[in-house]
Amino acid sequence: MALTTQSTKDQILDAASRLISVRGYHCTSLDDVLRESGVGKGNFYYYFKSKEELGYAIVDRVVRGLVERTIEPSFGDQSLTPIEQIHRFFDRILESQRQRNCVGGCPMGNLASELSDVHEGFRQRLAEVFTFWRASVGHVLRQAQAQGELAELADPERMAHFIVAAIQGAILMTKVTKEIEVMEQCVAELKAHLALQE
């Protein structure tokens, strides 16, 4: 029973994520999600009280994916120096865009663009996600500084803000141009910027 329960919830989340990534949150109706997932209305409301709650669950899922597929494998490998961990982080983001063929962009960035000015609940959740992302990068940069890989005069917090903003901008531009070279150039420039801070 637990397997079926999890599977049905995932079916809904998978379908909603696909639709929202193409149409946006506002242009995706619950009927669209039900049709795409093949799940009945009763089953939907068993898991989610509203479309808003579904949206929050999608944000939470995106965050888990970011942590499990990008942050933990990059920043959790203690056999690498902090700067090598940052490089791996850049490379994993670049590879993710390659695998997607520059389609879809960043789910968090897409939702932030669409909803931050019109839905305070989503704005707050997404702001927390970006704060977590910057904090993760900043933590590794502070480690790099403590180990002498980053100059004492460098500001890890400001650098973390710059890195996250640059990556988000590059993902958006890659989505618009459909050219992976945009992301490749951004990653190369970020690595070069870090090298100048040593």
Side-chain angles (χ1 to χ4, degrees), residues 42-168:
N43 279 339
F44 175 87
Y45 284 110
Y46 177 78
Y47 296 106
F48 306 104
K49 293 177 185 158
S50 63
K51 180 182 171 186
E52 180 180 77
E53 192 173 289
L54 170 65
Y56 289 157
I58 290 170
V59 171
D60 292 344
R61 187 190 225 202
V62 168
V63 173
R64 276 195 312 277
L66 173 68
V67 170
E68 291 169 5
R69 288 190 300 274
T70 307
I71 290 179
E72 284 179 351
S74 303
F75 300 155
D77 188 346
Q78 299 307 309
S79 70
L80 301 176
T81 69
I83 293 298
E84 288 171 340
Q85 290 177 37
I86 295 279
H87 284 200
R88 178 179 279 185
F89 174 69
F90 295 155
D91 292 340
R92 291 184 78 84
I93 292 171
L94 172 57
E95 187 54 33
S96 171
Q97 291 304 304
R98 270 203 194 103
Q99 289 175 1
R100 294 177 178 194
N101 291 321
C102 307
V103 173
C106 171
M108 292 179 301
N110 294 344
L111 287 170
S113 295
E114 182 185 2
L115 297 171
S116 291
D117 289 338
V118 297
H119 195 293
E120 183 61 14
F122 274 107
R123 187 201 66 75
Q124 288 178 0
R125 281 190 182 227
L126 291 161
E128 287 170 8
V129 173
F130 284 110
T131 298
F132 167 74
W133 192 1
R134 287 194 312 265
S136 299
V137 173
H139 175 71
V140 179
L141 289 171
R142 284 193 303 278
Q143 289 180 326
Q145 195 170 46
Q147 294 179 24
E149 287 191 293
L150 207 57
E152 283 186 35
L153 292 177
D155 186 331
E157 305 312 316
R158 289 180 65 172
M159 287 180 70
H161 276 260
F162 168 70
I163 286 169
V164 171
I167 288 171
Q168 275 299 306

Side-chain angles (χ1 to χ4, degrees), residues 15-25 27-28 103-104 110 114 175:
S17 297
R18 278 193 306 274
L19 290 169
I20 289 170
S21 73
V22 175
R23 302 179 185 177
Y25 177 82
C27 292
T28 300
V103 173
N110 294 344
E114 182 185 2
K175 176 182 176 179

